[in-house]
Amino acid sequence: MGYTIAQKIIKAHLLSGDMTVGSEVGLKIDQTLTQDATGTMAYLEFEAIGVPRVKTEKSVAYIDHNTLQTGFENADDHRFIQSVAKKHGIYFSRPGNGICHQVHLERFGKPGKTLIGSDSHTPTGGGIGMLAIGAGGLDVAVAMGGGAYYISMPKMVRINLTGKLQPWVSAKDIILEVLRIMSVKGGVGKIVEYGGEGVKTLTVPERATITNMGAELGATTSIFPSDEITKSFMAAQGREEDWSELSPDADAVYDEVIDIDLSKLVPMAACPHSPDNVKTIEEIGPQKIDQVCIGSCTNSSYLDLMRVAAILKGKTVSPDVSLAIAPGSKQVYNMLARNGALADIIEAGARILECACGPCIGMGQSPNSKGISLRTFNRNFEGRSGTRDGQIYLVSPETAAASALTGVFTDPRTLGDAVDIPLPEKFEYNDNMVIEPAPVEEMDSVEVLRGPNIKPYPKTSPLEENIDVPCSLKVGDNITTDHIMPAGAKILPLRSNIPAISEHCFTVCDKDFPARAKQLGSSIIVGGINYGQGSSREHAALAPLYLGVKAVIVKSFARIHRSNLINAGILPLTFVNEADYDAISEGDELSIPNVRQLISEGKNLVIVNKTTGKEIPVECELSGRTRDIILAGGLLDYTKQNG
Ligand code: MIC
Ligand code: SF4
């Protein structure tokens, strides 16, 4: 039996386990990336592990999220990351160089290699045939120290692309179609591989848009073959020697196959407040809009912005629309500046932002009250834009630009002849904004610079014998990490200060939660399906840890968040019978007798609801390794104990 692309890479990097679906495999990690919002914590954890120099082939620290500097905090964190990177062998991508995923694809990614990143959109690297996976900061710290990265061996889904996109239909519309078919939880426990004749019609930036937003499926990752198109992209980046070919075996077996005829797709949008709430632009109709934002790691490539510039050229943005554009990288920005496309964009009235995440993570450009905002981004969770009642629609750059001109939802196919933008023979690359680490002989003398906002990792303790605590919060289905640990310009500067950021934990759902949890001392949270979807931020586990949360009981978890809970030493429990969700109310006194012993023996647990008397069976699927992590009180303690 042959192998899929992902299985080939896993096989070549397998350090432990066998490749049976659902069992735990340990992978050798070739490359890591961090961004600043998760990076400070990841490097504090790396320091705590105590390895002097990274053991990966390449580790890069990017500054792209916390670039709005309204106080000293973000600048202090950037300085810390720069100095810690220099000391420990990590390349540092300065603020202004661009969004981590875009820059990594352009300058560092290599087909066939493994990459983990402390950001859920790390799968962007799948666009050039990398096995690129989003992870918690602590997992990245361990991998930088030479440790394996563990995943549960995923099922393989093949998305068979046939035909060719019609003019004005975009790669974004392909991934929106996949989301429509699979939903935001359809990819959990799966790797999505793209194949078929249609792949040859897609450029690398288009493939990267698709693998990037594969994160919204809940998938472990997404991947494209590495072919002649990949080769010419890499050659145009001056990196042809980094290219290698990668395709599935002819007899590779997939657990699921989905066929998509590209020629049948039309422009679409993900409607509020979920990336899988997909409708065609035609179905939505010519509704009035207030704002358009173009950029983010999904759609800010040279190709995307050249198309946008061509649409805007010689026109003026509708008087009722605010159009903001953030190019994905310095390379993209520079090329637009040199070839005049930037002037076309400026002339049309766009508000140009620095190349960073910006509005995507609520760092500015929050829309007006109830404002309808069309964005080329990947997430439209409620409140994420910074405006609680903002109505965010996720669309292609073509739909975004066309609508910015008319002031209403506009199908770009109404614009007439499509613009044909070829990829350049050579991109204008220049790594002058990437600082190399200090040579080995100088690393000891590098001083790590810490600001006053940088506080240590929260206190942990080994799993207790019994848990006897109340339920401090009960939430519903599809809770995102943006609910658990909101981001935005006000809260993101607190990412390196867990006590301070914890004051915002779950406040989107219940503004009294932090005070209540603190007053209770220890407690349990109850949730529904797909709990913790979205971001990789381990703060969504560290803040609850700080607030005394001992266990989270849900109908099902999203992958990265579940492992972040384990890393933080919080028990991730699932109801054996989903209906038992109704058997716990907020305020109920809960007891898990003999929890330490039962967990160490690998047995299932029973929760006793002392308020109602009901016994509730729950599961805690842990491998030998994750069981030991939970018993130790989290991955940091486990790693320190086990070297
Ligand atoms: C996001 O898009 O939600 C983020 C901000 O990039 C996060 C990381 C973070 O919260 O710092 C992610 O996707 O992992
Ligand atoms: Fe940045 Fe948005 Fe991409 Fe997250 S999804 S990495 S915030 S651009």
Side-chain angles (χ1 to χ4, degrees), residues 68 290-296 305 308 312 315-328 333 336 341-359 363-368 373-375 377 401 404-405:
L68 209 62
D290 301 292
Q291 186 195 48
V292 173
C293 296
I294 298 176
S296 94
L305 294 199
V308 167
L312 297 181
K315 314 239 168 61
T316 303
V317 172
S318 157
D320 299 325
V321 173
S322 166
L323 168 65
I325 300 184
Y333 215 158
L336 297 179
L342 184 61
D344 295 335
I345 292 174
I346 295 171
E347 192 59 31
R351 301 167 64 182
I352 313 292
L353 309 176
E354 68 174 312
C355 40
C357 301
M363 275 280 176
Q365 309 300 322
S366 300
N368 55 288
S373 176
L374 268 60
R375 300 178 161 207
F377 307 167
L405 293 176

Side-chain angles (χ1 to χ4, degrees), residues 175-315:
I175 186 63
L176 288 174
E177 172 70 358
V178 177
L179 274 152
R180 194 186 64 75
I181 298 170
M182 291 181 75
S183 91
V184 289
K185 50 183 192 304
V188 176
K190 301 173 187 171
I191 289 182
V192 180
E193 261 188 43
Y194 290 84
E197 283 301 298
V199 164
K200 294 201 194 96
T201 67
L202 298 172
T203 62
V204 163
E206 291 172 313
R207 296 174 185 187
T209 292
I210 296 168
T211 55
N212 169 285
M213 207 170 164
E216 274 49 72
L217 300 164
T220 305
T221 189
S222 304
I223 191 164
F224 271 83
S226 170
D227 55 11
E228 287 300 315
I229 290 170
T230 324
K231 187 178 180 181
S232 48
F233 173 82
M234 298 199 65
Q237 290 286 353
R239 302 201 293 123
E240 195 172 340
E241 71 284 0
D242 288 345
W243 178 79
S244 57
E245 194 174 4
L246 206 59
S247 56
D249 290 329
D251 56 346
V253 178
Y254 292 87
D255 300 279
E256 205 178 313
V257 179
I258 294 172
D259 292 306
I260 295 181
D261 180 353
L262 298 178
S263 53
K264 298 240 165 72
L265 297 182
V266 297
M268 286 179 268
C271 305
H273 298 285
S274 182
D276 62 359
N277 186 12
V278 176
K279 291 201 180 114
T280 66
I281 301 297
E282 217 169 348
E283 273 166 353
I284 295 170
Q287 248 192 85
K288 193 182 159 315
I289 63 171
D290 301 292
Q291 186 195 48
V292 173
C293 296
I294 298 176
S296 94
C297 55
T298 319
N299 277 123
S300 58
S301 67
Y302 171 82
L303 203 65
D304 287 332
L305 294 199
M306 285 300 291
R307 286 176 181 159
V308 167
I311 295 170
L312 297 181
K313 190 176 171 136
K315 314 239 168 61

Side-chain angles (χ1 to χ4, degrees), residues 65 99-101 119 121 296-297 357 360-361 378-379 384:
H65 282 62
I99 305 175
C100 53
H101 309 303
D119 192 281
H121 291 102
S296 94
C297 55
C357 301
C360 178
I361 191 56
N378 47 39
R379 288 188 175 141
R384 180 176 160 102

